[in-house]
Structure formats: C-alpha cells, structure tokens
Amino acid sequence: MRRKNRLLVALGALALLLPAAAPANAVTSTPTPAPITEETKDQLGEYMDKYGVADSVQIQLWKKIEDGVLWDSFGGAEPVSSREIETDKSISTVSTFEDGSIRVAEVMTGTPGINARGITMCSTSSFPGGAQYNNCNATDGNGWATAGFTTTFIRSANYGKIVDVWAPTVQCMKPFSCSYAWHGIVRSTGTDAVPALAQMNYGLTWGGTVTNNVQLKISGASATIYNSVNN
C-alpha cells in the first residue's frame, strides 16, 4: 500500500495552523459508509508507507472509512506521539494518532528562503533587523485533502506582517469532495503575543461535512507550521 502528504514542523519564520478562530475540524453530520477504490488505497498507501505506517494498520484505517468513521487525524484528537525526520533536503514532523493515522508537516531546506510542503517556493529579501518572504505557498493536508494559499509576509525583530494572501486551493480524494469558502487577512500586523493572522476556510464533505481552517500566523520572534489538531 502506498501514499502522499505531510504536516507539522518548527521553522522559525512563520506559522501555519489548522483551526483556531473557528472550530478546527468540526464534523457537522455523520459520514456515510463508502467503498475505497484500489487506486485511492495505492495513492494514500504510498504516503503511509513513506512514514512507516504498517500494512495491518492501513487495513484497519481503510475499514474505518468504509464503515463511515473518520480517522483521528481529521481532528478532535491529540496525537499520541511525534517524531522528526531530517534529511539533506527537508525537515518533517510526523504526528501519529491513536488509530494509527498520521499527519505530517514538512519543510524543504535545499534552496534559499523557505521551500516546503507547508511553505513552498519562497524567496527572501533581507533588510536591517528582518526579512520579507515572497510568494510562499502555505498548505495543510492529511492525505485525503490538501488546502492552502500563496502569501508574502515580513518578519522583523519586533513585529510580523502579512502583506498579501492569494490563489487559494483545495484538493481532495474520493469519497470526499472539497468546497472553498473564504480566505483573507484577519490581522495584517502582529506581535509575539498576538501574531499577524491570515486564514482560509474550506469544507471537506463526505455524507457529513468537516469544516477546516488553514491559518498562517506571523510574529517577529518565531513561527511554526502546525496541524490544528496538534494544538
């Protein structure tokens, strides 16, 4: 079995959170049982294999979805463990939940600026006391769904600022369907105590609807990529 996706990591430049202001992953009704195609199992299995999820656990997770039960990694549960993986190209944190499902945050480190699944294709321009990060993709996902937007932001010693957010995207795999709701800057300038905040809202529907918020928090001191269910 196979699969692809990722999610949590300390970066020291910006923060991507999943929920916060609104309920992070809120299920508004009960999903209905649904078969999973072999093609979907192969794609998700590649991701799970990459991060060491045993075949026996994957079989149990497929059964949960087929029985109409969401994985713990969709929200509402704390991870039972986490581990960091560092290579010459990336740093990632893998969070494992009680049912064996995972969420992963990954930051690529092989290029100047920030290049990651969570924050991708960034270029930086420095100024005394800080830097501006340009055209960074901020995304979140758990294998079944990935959502995010592109942003430009500033970090300095005393404040963080989100200059712009644009190009929201959301993609998901059957039996889920995705719907974009809203994105924008909630608070353009912030401090360490109250960071600058941008947010994207989207729905993940399968019988019932899972409401998700992707949040980007910027402060002067630091920033981290989270999955909301890890907070």
Side-chain angles (χ1 to χ4, degrees):
M1 300 186 185
R2 303 175 275 268
R3 170 183 191 172
K4 325 172 171 178
N5 207 347
R6 320 143 163 106
L7 214 232
L8 165 87
V9 138
L11 193 74
L14 62 70
L16 171 63
L17 261 67
L18 242 177
N25 297 33
V27 181
T28 58
S29 56
T30 303
T32 55
I36 305 174
T37 66
E38 289 303 314
E39 180 182 3
T40 297
K41 289 181 180 180
D42 283 347
Q43 292 181 31
L44 292 174
E46 287 179 4
Y47 164 56
M48 293 174 135
D49 287 347
K50 179 177 180 180
Y51 295 106
V53 179
D55 285 356
S56 59
V57 174
Q58 294 183 39
I59 291 171
Q60 294 173 3
L61 291 172
W62 304 143
K63 188 176 187 306
K64 284 188 73 171
I65 294 294
E66 291 174 335
D67 289 344
V69 181
L70 291 174
W71 295 352
D72 292 349
S73 60
F74 277 99
E78 294 291 327
V80 296
S81 66
S82 63
R83 59 192 172 93
E84 186 174 280
I85 301 172
E86 185 171 358
T87 70
D88 58 348
K89 294 183 179 179
S90 67
I91 301 173
S92 59
T93 300
V94 183
S95 295
T96 302
F97 294 80
E98 187 173 359
D99 64 356
S101 62
I102 59 176
R103 298 204 70 122
V104 184
E106 182 180 69
V107 176
M108 307 303 290
T109 57
T111 60
I114 305 168
N115 186 356
R117 176 164 173 68
I119 299 144
T120 314
M121 303 301 289
C122 286
S123 64
T124 61
S125 53
S126 299
F127 57 85
Q132 178 164 314
Y133 298 79
N134 305 293
N135 302 318
C136 303
N137 290 339
T139 63
D140 167 78
N142 77 336
W144 288 103
T146 301
F149 46 75
T150 305
T151 180
T152 290
F153 62 92
I154 295 170
R155 287 188 61 248
S156 76
N158 301 314
Y159 72 95
K161 181 176 182 178
I162 299 174
V163 178
D164 197 6
V165 293
W166 67 97
T169 61
V170 56
Q171 298 177 325
C172 59
M173 300 178 64
K174 294 180 179 179
F176 295 92
S177 61
C178 300
S179 58
Y180 161 80
W182 177 87
H183 80 285
I185 297 174
V186 178
R187 187 168 47 250
S188 62
T189 303
T191 63
D192 294 343
V194 184
L197 172 66
Q199 180 169 306
M200 173 183 168
N201 300 339
Y202 70 97
L204 183 62
T205 302
W206 167 46
T209 297
V210 182
T211 302
N212 289 274
N213 303 315
V214 175
Q215 294 192 337
L216 174 68
K217 290 187 175 183
I218 306 297
S219 70
S222 65
T224 311
I225 299 177
Y226 297 91
N227 170 262
S228 60
V229 299
N230 295 330
N231 298 329

